[in-house]
Amino acid sequence: MNTAIVETINVTREVAWLPWAVSYFFLIGLSYGAFLLSLPGIVLRRPGWEGISRLALLGALVCGLSAPVALLADLHQPGRFWHFYAYFSPGSWMSWGAFFIPLYLGGLLLYAWLAFRPLLAAHGREGGRLAGVARLLAYGGLESRSALLGAALAALLGALLVALYTGAEVMVVRARPLWHTPLLPVQFALTALAGAVGLTLLFNRFSAGTRDTATIRRLAGVLAATQLAALLTGALWLVMGLSGLAPVHAEALAQVADLPGWRLTAAWAVGATVLTWALAALRPGSGLLIGLLALHSAWMMRWTVFIGGQEVPKTGAGLYSYQLPLGPEGLLGIVGTAGLWVFILVLLTTVLPLDRLAGTRGHGA
Amino acid sequence: MKSDPSTRACSPTGVSRRNFLRGIPVLTAAAALPAPAVAASADTPHWGMLVDIRRCIGCQACTMACIQENAMPEGSFRTVVSTYSVALADSAQPAGTYVLPRLCNHCDKPPCVPVCPVGATFKRGDGVVLVDAERCVGCGYCVQACPYDARFINHDTNKADKCTFCAHRLEAGLLPACVETCVGGARVFGDLNDPQGELRRRLDAAGVETKVLKPEQRTAPQVFYIGLEERFAGKVVGQGSLWKPRASHA
Ligand code: SF4
Ligand code: SF4
């Protein structure tokens, strides 16, 4: 550390994007990632993907429905969210995001409803828990392929736009060299997809009786690919920083390379990714473990980018130290979001039990 | 702080205060001023500031004046004098002190403006960058986008906050509180469009000595510095703060 200059008086700028933002980016990423995983089985009808895709679609729903709550909570004036719609500002990615989110969620809800209608009807017929509600939701339970495809297309457009805006919104912040890289949206998308595979593996693990190794292997294959891509992207970032090819990467590197905390984080991230990749590639049967690892990496990446990134002063020396507050602006917020997530999961799996989705009971969509 | 500036003792900044008052149209407080600024030019002013670091004594009087004038919550600052202890190689003294008053630069190309999702942050015709508190949703995007850490979320209002060049005082024909109170006469405020004004004259006289913070960000800051050392113009490389007050959530 350079001790030729010691900052004796300066102010701390607190993080303006709270852990709520980490929760939002985590959940919305998992949601669009899981939505993409739902396509091979439900839209493309790829053999062997039916169960995976239905479980993934459940994940996309649960995460997609809880994400906006975290986003709203990150506003310091949540009651003014309607300002986003009253004062559209085309120069701001965040402003566009306010329109992309409803497009995605609207498409997703419609698509999921159309995909799950037959399952809901089956649940209603068989008289499971809340069978009446399931029957009501099924609304006849008809399958409509063309409507399903239309809704999937709308949701796909929404998902791509959400992936684009969430990445671009952070990438354009030139004031933070750690964020200001075109590789960031790619890293967000890759970890989102990996996390979505992780979530699907988790659901698969908890759908009783499903030890279908073919399913796990298929997901492990996708996961291994995402991890490899993430490692390559990370390596590219590093090479561009070290070689001086990209000045902004070099600046970002210079800001954190000497800091022990950041070194540990980098080593951790690389280690976890390599481990996930190795397990997914060599021991694809370790479904639960690699699933949890992928979810952990997706969270860690966002935590490091948002909270870690905001700890780096833009003008002052050293770091602003962040301690996770216990209240709603910190731990309670994270726990609360997780609680909401579990609540929505319980609600949905009451009428759409995991076993039915995984294909071990009932019939396919 | 809100005393009549024209009665102040003559000092370098005292001169600037009087010139300042002659140079702007007085709107709301015209009746209260003994010498109304009737000589105001018809042109729109473009407000700016010069900080002559050589004159700053690091007393933080400006910091305090701003806190009082703008009712800042505890631990929040619109301006501060960052203070550094610097090792000296060619002196009998082991270390010297470097001070750097910081505030919003009221950039002519402010990156905080386009990111705002609701158009709450804007640059006024007279150059002042402001936040419309009625519209701000407190998303903090502008806080991220400012390369100078000039913005923060105010815990009392839950909205974006920053230096306004004391826009409310300007309207009343008064100088920003920090300029008014500056002990060393280091802060000079005025109309950059006024070729006869002290600010313009001082800037012209200083020529290439005039610097801005982080010029590579191409934000066109309207707060200029004389005596700004290269290694303090961007992110300072050194040991982190010994004293960093934080905002209280109480
Ligand atoms: S200093 Fe920061 S807050 Fe002020 S105008 Fe420039 S970018 Fe905006
Ligand atoms: S915090 Fe307020 S002023 Fe800043 S970008 Fe958000 S809405 Fe705009």
Side-chain angles (χ1 to χ4, degrees):
Chain A
M1 183 182 293
N2 181 345
T3 49
I5 297 175
V6 179
E7 195 173 67
T8 47
I9 298 174
N10 208 359
V11 299
T12 294
R13 290 298 188 212
E14 298 181 308
V15 299
W17 286 355
L18 307 174
W20 289 110
V22 182
S23 297
Y24 168 69
F25 278 79
F26 178 68
L27 290 171
I28 202 71
L30 290 188
S31 181
Y32 73 67
F35 163 74
L36 294 179
L37 283 179
S38 81
L39 297 176
I42 295 173
V43 171
L44 305 176
R45 291 175 160 164
R46 287 265 293 275
W49 276 83
E50 300 87 345
I52 297 173
S53 285
R54 284 194 300 263
L55 288 175
L57 185 51
L58 172 74
L61 271 180
V62 181
C63 295
L65 290 172
S66 43
V69 178
L71 182 61
L72 214 57
D74 198 51
L75 293 184
H76 290 77
Q77 294 281 350
R80 290 183 170 180
F81 80 93
W82 59 273
H83 285 196
F84 281 99
Y85 302 102
Y87 310 111
F88 173 55
S89 305
S92 164
W93 278 104
M94 193 185 275
S95 182
W96 282 103
F99 293 89
F100 296 160
I101 299 167
L103 169 67
Y104 168 59
L105 287 182
L108 176 71
L109 281 170
L110 191 62
Y111 163 64
W113 178 65
L114 290 164
F116 288 152
R117 264 175 99 189
L119 293 176
L120 287 166
H123 187 76
R125 268 198 312 276
E126 288 166 23
R129 256 184 300 160
L130 294 182
V133 177
R135 259 197 306 278
L136 217 65
L137 285 173
Y139 199 65
L142 282 181
E143 252 183 284
S144 166
R145 184 80 186 146
S146 52
L148 178 91
L149 292 181
L153 205 66
L156 179 64
L157 179 68
L160 294 177
L161 289 173
V162 165
L164 174 73
Y165 112 82
T166 45
E169 176 179 86
V170 187
M171 181 196 86
V172 295
V173 178
R174 187 161 178 225
R176 296 199 184 279
L178 277 163
W179 294 2
H180 189 53
T181 155
L183 294 181
L184 191 75
V186 179
Q187 285 163 319
F188 271 144
L190 285 172
T191 51
L193 192 59
V197 175
L199 184 64
T200 311
L201 279 166
L202 211 67
F203 283 170
N204 185 61
R205 173 68 177 73
F206 290 108
S207 57
T210 308
R211 296 292 178 270
D212 174 12
T213 47
T215 303
I216 300 173
R217 276 171 193 282
R218 216 162 268 128
L219 283 171
V222 179
L223 188 55
T226 61
Q227 299 304 286
L228 201 61
L231 284 172
L232 288 174
T233 317
L236 184 64
W237 188 93
L238 199 65
V239 168
M240 282 165 76
L242 289 175
S243 66
L245 272 175
V248 68
H249 289 195
E251 201 184 329
L253 208 57
Q255 282 190 352
V256 296
D258 284 345
L259 304 169
W262 277 88
R263 288 183 170 199
L264 181 68
T265 305
W268 185 315
V270 173
T273 312
V274 170
L275 181 66
T276 314
W277 169 73
L279 283 173
L282 307 175
R283 303 208 36 200
S286 41
L288 182 63
L289 179 64
I290 52 175
L292 288 174
L293 271 170
L295 281 168
H296 137 278
S297 294
W299 174 269
M300 270 276 293
M301 190 257 175
R302 282 154 185 78
W303 185 268
T304 309
V305 165
F306 289 113
I307 303 297
Q310 291 179 89
E311 276 186 296
V312 181
K314 291 172 191 154
T315 54
L319 289 176
Y320 299 140
S321 72
Y322 176 80
Q323 285 137 9
L324 182 68
L326 297 180
E329 70 281 13
L331 188 62
L332 197 61
I334 300 173
V335 174
T337 313
L340 176 68
W341 188 91
V342 171
F343 175 73
I344 298 174
L345 177 68
V346 169
L347 220 60
L348 288 177
T349 49
T350 307
V351 286
L352 291 165
L354 285 178
D355 297 354
R356 192 184 296 280
L357 295 179
T360 51
R361 219 172 80 189
H363 53 73
Chain B
M1 210 182 320
K2 291 183 181 174
S3 63
D4 173 14
S6 61
T7 60
R8 292 220 157 203
C10 190
S11 70
T13 43
V15 173
S16 75
R17 282 174 192 132
R18 279 194 298 278
N19 286 351
F20 170 78
L21 282 167
R22 262 185 235 119
I24 64 164
V26 169
L27 303 172
T28 53
L33 288 168
V38 283
S41 73
D43 302 338
T44 318
H46 191 92
W47 302 121
M49 192 187 283
L50 169 67
V51 180
D52 189 341
I53 293 174
R54 299 167 306 181
R55 292 182 175 218
C56 174
I57 59 168
C59 65
Q60 308 282 355
C62 51
T63 312
M64 295 311 295
C66 176
I67 289 171
Q68 291 189 345
E69 178 69 28
N70 297 297
M72 285 292 97
E74 192 188 333
S76 292
F77 300 82
R78 288 182 178 181
T79 188
V80 72
V81 182
S82 301
T83 307
Y84 302 91
S85 190
V86 186
L88 299 175
D90 49 3
S91 160
Q93 295 268 9
T97 298
Y98 189 80
V99 289
L100 178 52
R102 297 185 191 273
L103 65 156
C104 167
N105 291 285
H106 296 272
C107 309
D108 269 357
K109 292 182 193 150
C112 56
V113 169
V115 295
C116 178
V118 295
T121 276
F122 61 102
K123 186 162 174 83
R124 228 165 47 172
D126 62 1
V128 181
V129 175
L130 293 173
V131 180
D132 178 350
E134 293 306 309
R135 199 183 273 201
C136 172
V137 295
C139 69
Y141 202 3
C142 56
V143 179
Q144 309 297 352
C146 168
Y148 304 98
D149 267 350
R151 287 175 173 249
F152 55 96
I153 298 288
N154 180 318
H155 286 301
D156 284 352
T157 63
N158 278 326
K159 291 161 199 158
D161 203 318
K162 67 182 254 317
C163 156
T164 62
F165 268 168
C166 280
H168 60 293
R169 289 175 60 98
L170 296 187
E171 249 182 70
L174 299 169
L175 285 163
C178 59
V179 178
E180 186 73 58
T181 200
C182 180
V183 175
R187 294 190 187 224
V188 181
F189 183 84
D191 177 6
L192 288 159
N193 283 344
D194 178 4
Q196 303 311 317
E198 186 189 0
L199 177 64
R200 192 76 267 171
R201 283 191 285 113
R202 292 270 291 268
L203 285 173
D204 291 345
V208 290
E209 289 298 304
T210 311
K211 303 235 164 61
V212 294
L213 291 171
K214 292 194 175 183
E216 76 288 351
Q217 294 274 328
R218 294 197 287 274
T219 53
Q222 298 303 293
V223 172
F224 303 90
Y225 290 87
I226 294 178
L228 178 63
E229 272 189 36
E230 185 67 33
R231 51 190 172 154
F232 293 96
K235 176 166 166 45
V236 176
V237 178
Q239 190 182 313
S241 263
L242 300 181
W243 185 73
K244 273 188 193 170
R246 332 179 126 256
S248 86
H249 288 264

